[in-house]
Structures are given as C-alpha cells and as structure tokens.
Amino acid sequence: ILCTVLYFLNWIPPIPLSLTFGGIYHQIEKNHDEYLLTYEKGPWYDIWNESNDRVGIESPVYCFSSVFAPVTIQTTIYHHWQWRPLDEHSSFRTTDHIPITITGGREKGYRSYTTKHRVQQGEWRVNVETEDGRILGRMTFVADGNLSAEPVMTTITR
C-alpha cells in the first residue's frame, strides 16, 4: 500500500524505468559500445563525485543519463533543461524539452546524452522524465562566467 501511495504522489519513479547513472560533462565521446565522459576534477575530498557541478558559459554542456529499461519496452524519455538566474529565487524556466526514444533495454541501462550550447549564467537543472512528466532523476549545475582557465580534467567510461 505504501509503494502505491508513494507512486501516485510521484515520490518514487515509475516502474520499470529507473535512472541508474547521470551527470553533467564537458565532453562526451562514443567509443564502440562505451561512452567516454570528461569532467572537471573536484577537490581531493570529493572522491565520489563523477560529474560537474559548475561549468563555464562559453563551452557546450553535456547531460548524460543511463536508464534501466526492460528489453521489451518502447517509450520516450525526456531531458528537460531548466534555468534560473543566480540573483533570483523565482521558479525555473524551461529552455529545452528533448525527447529520447527508448527501444528495448540492456543490462547496463539505456544510455544517451543531450547537449546545450551557450548556457546562460545561473542555476541549471536537467530532469530525466517520462512521457507523462514523472521524474526519474535530476542533475544540477551552476553556469558561471568566472571559472578557472585551466581546469584539471578526468575521463570515466560508462
């Protein structure tokens, strides 16, 4: 009963879809069956973070998501890009609502990414959503025009 109530309150993601991994990156390359995700290495104590939480406004921003989906499923998920200026506490404004078609699944999840060029300075979030607007997961970051010129980059494989 509790699971049913939480599902209809939109507090748990719709089954059988679930976000298994997601993040914001400086660059993404596909190499055969793997994605190479490049992000700015954080401070030494932030060893679990494998994604950017701050990006520059001049270069493209990539949002990567891996969604578990059963083999027989055919549906569409969305990367819902939203923005809010830093000095305002207003609600987020939608900038893009990009559809991603899922046909079947794989053991490690269905992987995809979207790109945003010339982001505006401010707070950003990308919701990974189902067709009916249920949120599978969310990635957040801040776009800043005053970042260091020579960040230390790290690449992971997914």
Side-chain angles (χ1 to χ4, degrees):
I1 294 173
L2 178 63
C3 286
T4 303
V5 170
L6 293 176
Y7 175 80
F8 284 109
L9 289 174
N10 202 17
W11 290 356
I12 61 173
I15 297 172
L17 299 175
S18 65
L19 183 69
T20 57
F21 181 82
I24 302 297
Y25 298 94
H26 284 285
Q27 184 176 351
I28 296 178
E29 293 179 37
K30 187 170 183 183
N31 185 11
H32 303 290
D33 192 32
E34 296 180 329
Y35 285 89
L36 303 175
L37 312 173
T38 303
Y39 66 100
E40 189 172 340
K41 189 171 176 99
W44 64 269
Y45 54 83
D46 196 11
I47 59 174
W48 301 112
N49 190 7
E50 294 183 332
S51 175
N52 287 319
D53 56 1
R54 296 187 81 74
V55 298
I57 59 174
E58 297 297 322
S59 57
V61 178
Y62 297 84
C63 177
F64 177 86
S65 61
S66 177
V67 175
F68 170 78
V71 176
T72 58
I73 197 166
Q74 291 186 355
T75 189
T76 301
I77 62 168
Y78 293 86
H79 277 185
H80 188 179
W81 290 75
Q82 297 179 312
W83 167 78
R84 170 172 67 191
L86 284 173
D87 56 349
E88 292 182 19
H89 294 290
S90 60
S91 60
F92 280 85
R93 303 170 196 161
T94 296
T95 62
D96 295 290
H97 202 245
I98 303 170
I100 301 167
T101 302
I102 293 179
T103 303
R106 55 188 290 274
E107 186 176 318
K108 294 182 181 178
Y110 183 86
R111 299 163 300 164
S112 183
Y113 67 93
T114 55
T115 308
K116 181 89 172 149
H117 295 274
R118 297 188 198 131
V119 294
Q120 296 177 12
Q121 191 164 327
E123 294 178 70
W124 284 84
R125 67 184 185 191
V126 182
N127 294 330
V128 180
E129 300 177 347
T130 61
E131 288 182 287
D132 63 356
R134 293 184 182 269
I135 297 175
L136 299 175
R138 174 179 290 161
M139 284 71 75
T140 61
F141 66 97
V142 174
D144 191 350
N146 301 321
L147 291 181
S148 63
E150 306 225 5
V152 177
M153 297 293 193
T154 301
T155 301
I156 60 173
T157 303
R158 292 288 173 180

